Amino acid sequence: LTDAHAFQQHPDLTRDFFELCSRLIRRKPAAMFHASVQHSEACLTLLHFLMLLVTEGVNSSRYNKTRGRVPDPAFVAVLEQCLGKYGQSLMTALVANLSGAVPPSSHSYVILVLEALLLYGGRDALQWLKATLRNGRALGVPLNCVNPSVEEFFRFMVNGVDKRDPRVLRKGMQAWANACQKAVRGQGFGQSGDEGGENQPRDPKG
């Protein structure tokens, strides 16, 4: 289904495709926005879909040049409704993925989705990020052992959003992912009996 004409040429495929989408929306709409899928190929496919979904709404010279147009207002309105309901869930899942819930080989895809979400959501997305970083146990990382710290990571993201600079966002995200890997290896975090106690982060400022 590569163009509008293909939908007419392949009615059976069109029907099956939209039937599957309809089942997801009817039965478990939130599942799509909890992007922690362990199967590698399924995870990458979902992340790629989410990247396309969010980037279609980002209005910036870089994204507009890539797609060859500005975002469609009708699409942006639908995306706004979806993220208004599921933005926090999506942010939490993406940061958890970047913090170690998925293999490092998937991090580049996670970073692209997070970048788009922050550039699209702006201050709202930063509030979702702040709420996520307050909950160390949700991320499964000993946050008091992570360097850069929670506060430094959050400042990086604020700076990137304010400048609307994907390079700043990506640099901060990659540094955070690398630091989380080192912290998990060094602390053996995630073993039974760890209740998170001292691993809870300080409140990010911003």
Side-chain angles (χ1 to χ4, degrees):
L1 302 177
T2 56
D3 53 39
H5 187 59
F7 284 84
Q8 299 293 332
Q9 289 184 314
H10 306 284
D12 291 343
L13 183 58
T14 300
R15 181 199 63 206
D16 291 345
F17 172 74
F18 283 106
E19 174 60 25
L20 286 172
C21 291
S22 298
R23 287 183 185 179
L24 175 63
I25 293 170
R26 286 197 308 266
R27 298 179 183 180
K28 197 68 174 177
M32 187 172 63
F33 295 93
H34 291 273
S36 292
V37 178
Q38 294 304 311
H39 187 280
S40 59
E41 290 185 7
C43 178
L44 294 182
T45 300
L46 176 56
L47 288 169
H48 187 254
F49 171 77
L50 289 170
M51 178 191 69
L52 292 175
L53 181 74
V54 181
T55 54
E56 276 296 309
V58 178
N59 188 10
S60 73
S61 57
R62 174 177 174 270
Y63 284 92
N64 294 346
K65 182 178 180 180
T66 300
R67 75 168 74 91
R69 53 181 169 74
V70 298
D72 185 322
F75 176 85
V76 171
V78 174
L79 181 61
E80 191 75 19
Q81 289 185 348
C82 289
L83 293 180
K85 187 171 184 180
Y86 298 113
Q88 180 65 68
S89 298
L90 178 57
M91 177 64 74
T92 300
L94 289 169
V95 176
N97 285 349
L98 196 62
S99 302
V102 297
S105 59
S106 300
H107 286 174
S108 60
Y109 292 87
V110 177
I111 286 172
L112 288 174
V113 185
L114 255 178
E115 170 197 318
L117 185 60
L118 285 163
L119 290 175
Y120 175 81
R123 288 289 160 178
D124 287 340
L126 287 172
Q127 289 301 312
W128 300 332
L129 177 60
K130 180 187 288 189
T132 296
L133 293 174
R134 285 174 177 159
N135 189 354
R137 279 179 291 183
L139 301 180
V141 179
L143 293 180
N144 62 317
C145 301
V146 175
N147 183 24
S149 67
V150 168
E151 292 83 359
E152 290 172 313
F153 174 55
F154 188 74
R155 283 197 297 270
F156 246 111
M157 298 301 99
V158 171
N159 189 30
V161 169
D162 287 346
K163 292 181 176 179
R164 295 190 66 77
D165 190 339
R167 293 171 299 179
V168 173
L169 294 173
R170 291 178 189 179
K171 182 179 179 180
M173 292 174 198
Q174 191 60 62
W176 174 261
N178 294 340
C180 287
Q181 289 181 57
K182 292 179 182 178
V184 170
R185 288 198 300 265
Q187 297 293 315
F189 192 74
Q191 298 174 358
S192 61
D194 192 335
E195 296 300 325
E198 64 176 3
N199 294 324
Q200 298 307 303
R202 295 182 296 276
D203 185 22
K205 304 298 187 293

